[in-house]
Amino acid sequence: MTKPLIHIVEPYHSQAMRKMTEPLQAGLGAGVVFSRGEDINKTAALNYHIPWHTLVGANTGDSKHIILYTHCNPGMERSLLDACARADKVVCLSFAGRQELVALGVSPTKLWVIYPGMDNFMPRKRNVGIVGAE
């Protein structure tokens, strides 16, 4: 059996998570192993954790690890810093997220910003009324 190139660790398989993982699977093909659990594949060349908390407290082995940072709920900062310390790289979904991690003390050299792609997303239209006089 050949060593898988990338193991995607994605336990929730929600619509939002599928939007992040399906393009990777389609683009990288057979080199991707997909897991809906939180287990790390210690024989994979790379474990890509979507979301980041699947790396918290994990025994990383010899594999490389990338985490996807979307946000951090209040009170989870210590866990986030643990995951960032264990990760080789951190992919942030925005520059605002990158700045949050820099403010927490994560090395900027670990951080990459990659905006997620959009397809068929139609934001709700808003009506804005202005009331006033000169």
Side-chain angles (χ1 to χ4, degrees):
M1 186 167 146
T2 61
K3 184 175 183 178
L5 177 63
I6 297 176
H7 174 231
I8 298 173
V9 183
E10 190 269 289
Y12 302 119
H13 210 57
S14 67
Q15 178 63 27
M17 295 297 114
R18 285 196 311 268
K19 283 180 132 331
M20 301 304 296
T21 57
E22 287 172 354
L24 288 171
Q25 288 180 283
L28 298 174
V32 176
V33 174
F34 182 76
S35 170
R36 287 182 62 182
E38 293 191 14
D39 296 331
I40 291 173
N41 185 333
K42 292 183 182 160
T43 63
L46 171 70
N47 284 275
Y48 189 25
H49 301 264
I50 303 174
W52 58 266
H53 66 77
T54 58
L55 189 56
V56 175
N59 179 1
T60 58
D62 293 333
S63 298
K64 299 287 184 186
H65 296 271
I66 295 176
I67 59 174
L68 177 70
Y69 176 68
T70 56
H71 68 283
C72 181
N73 293 331
M76 296 295 294
E77 293 84 3
R78 281 186 128 165
S79 294
L80 174 60
L81 289 174
D82 178 72
C84 288
R86 293 171 193 273
D88 296 284
K89 295 289 180 190
V90 179
V91 173
C92 305
L93 294 186
S94 67
F95 279 98
R98 181 185 185 280
Q99 288 306 110
E100 290 172 12
L101 294 176
V102 169
L104 286 173
V106 178
S107 171
T109 60
K110 271 191 176 186
L111 306 175
W112 290 81
V113 177
I114 303 174
Y115 284 91
M118 291 179 34
D119 62 351
N120 303 331
F121 175 74
M122 298 296 293
R124 280 190 353 213
K125 293 186 178 185
R126 302 252 186 223
N127 293 325
V128 178
I130 300 173
V131 179
E134 285 186 23

